[in-house]
C-alpha cells in the first residue's frame, strides 16, 4: 500500500474515532465532572474515604456485588433452554417467542417491581418470598433474559457445527463435543452478555426499592437516598465514584476471561432443524417454560390495568384515562413524543456506535482494552448521578442550547451506544480479512471496502443493534426523568409519576400506560424480527467484492 494511502487511511480512522470519543466526552464525561466539581465545593475538605465510611459504602458494595452476581448466574441458567430454542430449533412462530423475550426488557423497573409484588404476594404467596433477596433475583431474571438470549443466541446461530459433528464421529459424546468444540467460540458472547447483565443488575433501582422493602440496600439505592432524601451531594458522588470503579473492574475481568471482539466463523452457518419424534417433547417443555417465565408476569400486569387493587372491582378507568390530560398532556400524546425521541436516539446511537465499533475493531493492545472499558462505562453509572450532572451542566449553557429538542434523544442514545458496539464488534471480527485485502488490492478506498465488504456481512447484526437501541431508548427512565418537562415527558417517566400519585384511578392509568408501552414494544420488536429474518434469508454465504 502506498505511503499516501496509508496516511489517508490513518487520518480516516482518526476522524472515525473522534466522533464517538467526543459524544461520550460531552454527554457522559462533562455532566459527571460537573457534579464532582459541585460536590468538591460542598464537601468542606472531607476526603472521599471518610465520605464512604459515613455511608457504610463497603457493606453496600458487598450487597451490590452479591445480588448482581447471583442475578447474572441465574439469568444465564434460566436462558439456556431459550437460547437453544432460538438458535437450534426451526420452530413455527419463533418470532413471537422473541417478542415475548424482548418486551420485559423495555418495561420501567418500577412497574416490574409492582407486578412481581402482586405475583409473589398473590398466586405464589406460598413461596414466602413476596419481598427480599430472592424476589429481587426473580425480577432481574424477568428483565434481563432478553440480553442473554439475543447476544448468545446470535452467536450460536452463526456458529458452524461441522467440527462438532466430526468430533462426534470420532467418538466424543454430546457433552464432550459441546465443551471442547462448541463452547469455546461462544465464550466471547457469553462474557459480553454476562457483563451487560451484571451492569444492569448492579445499577438496578426500581426493583430493589419496591421488592427490597428497605432491607436490601445497594450502592444505587443509597446514591438516590443520599442525593434526593438527604440532599448530601458529596456522599452521593463518593458512592458514584465507587460504583464507577466497580464497573471498570467488572469490564476488565470480562476482557481477561472472554474477548468480546472475538468471534467464530460467520460462514458455514447451520440450518435450524425441525424437531422430530421425542424431540418435540423437549421443545414443548422449553416453550411452556419460557411462556410461564416471561408471559405470566405480563398477564398479571394486564389484569392490574383493569383491576388496580386486589380487593377492587373490574374497571376500564385506566384505559379511558389514556386520553385525559394530566398537567396539560395525555399518555397518548406522551407516547407520540416517546416514539419520536426513541427514533432520533436510535439514529444517533447507530451512527456513533458503528463508528465506535469500527475504531475498537481496528485498535490493538492497551488502546483496545481501554477503549472497550470506556465504551461500556455509561451503562454502569447511576442514573441519579447522570441526572444531577445534566442539571448542573445544562444550567451553565444558554437557554437556547439547554432547551434543545436533541438533549433527551442524545441522553437516551448514550445508554444505547454500548449495546450497539457490543453487537457489532463480533460481527466485524467475523468478516474474512482476505476479502478486505483483495478489495484494497483492486483499488477500493477504505469507505468502499466498508460498504461493499463489511456492510453485507454485518447487516443482520446492524439491524439487531438498531432494534435494541430503539427498545432501550423507548424504555429509558432514569436520567430522562431529571430532564423531562411538561412538553418533553416520555411514557416511562409518566408511568413513574403516575405510580407516585395516590388513588386507584392514578394506579389504573399507570398500569394501562404500561400495557400501552408493552403493546408498542411488541409491535416494534415484531417488525424488527420480520425484517431481520428476511435479511438473513437474502444474505449470501460469502459477500461479493464489488470493487470495480
Amino acid at each position: 500500500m502506498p505511503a499516501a494511502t496509508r496516511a489517508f487511511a490513518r487520518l480516516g480512522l482518526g476522524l472515525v474515532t473522534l466522533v464517538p470519543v467526543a459524544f461520550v466526552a460531552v454527554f457522559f464525561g462533562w455532566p459527571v465532572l460537573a457534579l464532582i466539581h459541585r460536590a468538591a465545593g460542598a464537601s468542606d475538605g472531607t476526603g472521599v474515604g471518610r465520605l464512604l465510611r459515613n455511608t457504610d459504602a463497603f457493606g453496600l458494595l458487598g450487597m451490590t456485588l452479591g445480588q448482581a452476581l447471583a442475578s447474572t448466574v441465574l439469568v444465564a441458567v434460566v436462558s439456556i433452554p431459550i437460547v437453544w430454542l432460538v438458535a437450534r430449533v426451526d420452530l413455527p412462530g419463533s418470532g413471537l417467542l422473541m417478542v415475548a423475550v424482548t418486551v420485559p426488557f423495555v418495561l420501567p423497573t418500577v412497574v416490574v417491581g409492582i407486578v412481581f409484588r402482586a405475583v409473589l404476594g398473590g398466586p405464589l404467596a406460598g413461596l414466602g418470598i413476596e419481598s427480599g433477596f430472592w424476589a429481587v433475583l426473580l425480577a432481574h431474571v424477568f428483565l434481563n433474559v432478553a440480553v442473554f438470549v439475543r447476544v448468545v443466541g446470535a452467536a450460536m446461530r452463526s456458529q458452524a457445527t461441522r467440527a462438532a459433528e466430526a468430533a462426534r464421529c470420532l467418538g466424543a459424546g454430546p457433552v464432550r463435543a459441546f465443551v471442547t468444540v462448541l463452547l469455546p467460540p461462544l465464550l466471547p458472547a457469553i462474557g459480553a452478555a454476562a457483563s451487560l447483565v451484571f451492569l444492569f443488575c448492579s445499577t438496578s433501582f426500581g426493583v430493589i426499592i419496591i421488592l427490597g422493602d428497605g432491607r436490601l440496600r445497594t450502592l444505587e439505592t443509597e446514591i438516590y437516598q443520599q442525593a434526593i432524601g438527604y440532599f448530601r451531594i458529596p456522599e452521593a458522588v463518593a458512592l458514584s465514584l465507587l460504583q464507577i470503579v466497580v464497573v471498570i473492574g467488572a469490564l476488565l475481568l470480562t476482557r481477561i476471561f472472554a474477548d468480546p471482539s472475538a468471534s467464530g466463523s460467520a460462514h458455514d452457518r447451520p440450518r435450524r432443524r425441525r424437531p422430530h419424534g421425542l424431540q418435540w417433547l423437549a421443545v414443548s417443555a422449553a416453550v411452556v417454560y419460557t411462556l410461564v417465565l416471561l408471559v405470566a408476569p405480563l398477564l398479571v400486569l394486564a389484569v392490574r390495568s383493569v383491576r388496580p387493587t386486589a380487593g377492587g372491582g373490574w374497571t376500564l378507568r385506566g384505559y379511558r384515562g389514556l386520553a385525559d390530560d394530566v398537567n396539560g398532556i395525555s399518555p397518548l400524546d406522551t407516547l407520540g413524543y416517546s416514539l419520536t425521541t426513541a427514533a432520533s436516539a436510535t439514529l444517533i446511537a447507530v451512527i456513533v456506535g458503528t463508528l465506535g465499533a469500527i475504531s475498537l475493531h481496528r485498535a490493538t493492545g492497551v488502546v483496545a482494552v481501554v477503549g472497550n472499558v470506556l465504551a461500556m462505562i455509561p451503562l454502569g453509572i447511576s442514573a441519579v448521578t447522570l441526572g444531577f450532572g445534566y442539571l448542573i451542566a445544562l444550567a451553565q449553557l444558554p437557554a437556547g442550547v439547554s432547551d434543545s429538542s436533541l438533549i433527551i434523544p442524545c441522553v437516551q442514545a448514550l445508554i444505547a451506544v454500548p449495546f450497539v458496539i457490543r453487537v457489532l464488534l463480533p460481527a466485524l471480527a467475523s468478516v474474512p480479512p482476505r476479502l478486505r485485502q483483495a478489495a484494497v488490492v483492486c483499488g477500493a478506498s477504505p469507505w468502499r471496502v466498508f460498504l461493499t465488504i463489511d456492510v453485507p456481512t454485518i447487516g443482520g447484526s446492524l439491524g439487531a443493534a438498531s432494534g435494541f437501541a430503539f427498545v432501550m431508548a423507548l424504555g429509558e427512565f432514569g436520567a430522562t426523568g431529571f430532564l423531562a418537562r411538561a412538553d418533553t415527558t416520555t411514557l416511562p417517566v409518566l408511568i413513574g409519576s403516575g405510580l407516585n400519585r395516590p388513588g386507584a384511578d392514578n394506579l389504573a392509568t399507570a398500569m394501562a400506560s404500561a400495557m400501552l408501552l408493552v403493546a408498542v414494544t411488541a409491535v416494534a420488536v415484531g417488525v424488527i424480527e420480520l425484517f431481520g429474518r428476511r435479511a438473513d434469508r437474502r444474505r449470501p454465504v460469502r459477500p461479493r467484492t464489488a470493487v470495480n
Side-chain angles (χ1 to χ4, degrees), residues 158 266 269 455-461 532 534-543:
S158 66
R269 292 188 179 119
V455 170
T457 305
I458 70 172
S461 297
R534 288 181 177 178
D536 284 340
R537 285 197 294 267
R538 291 195 301 265
R539 187 168 53 189
V541 174
R542 293 182 65 86

Side-chain angles (χ1 to χ4, degrees), residues 501-541:
R501 290 194 295 268
D505 288 349
N506 289 324
L507 179 59
T509 301
M511 291 299 179
S513 300
M515 284 303 301
L516 180 62
L517 184 62
V518 167
V520 172
T521 304
V523 171
V525 175
V527 171
I528 293 166
E529 286 296 315
L530 178 62
F531 282 96
R533 289 173 185 275
R534 288 181 177 178
D536 284 340
R537 285 197 294 267
R538 291 195 301 265
R539 187 168 53 189
V541 174

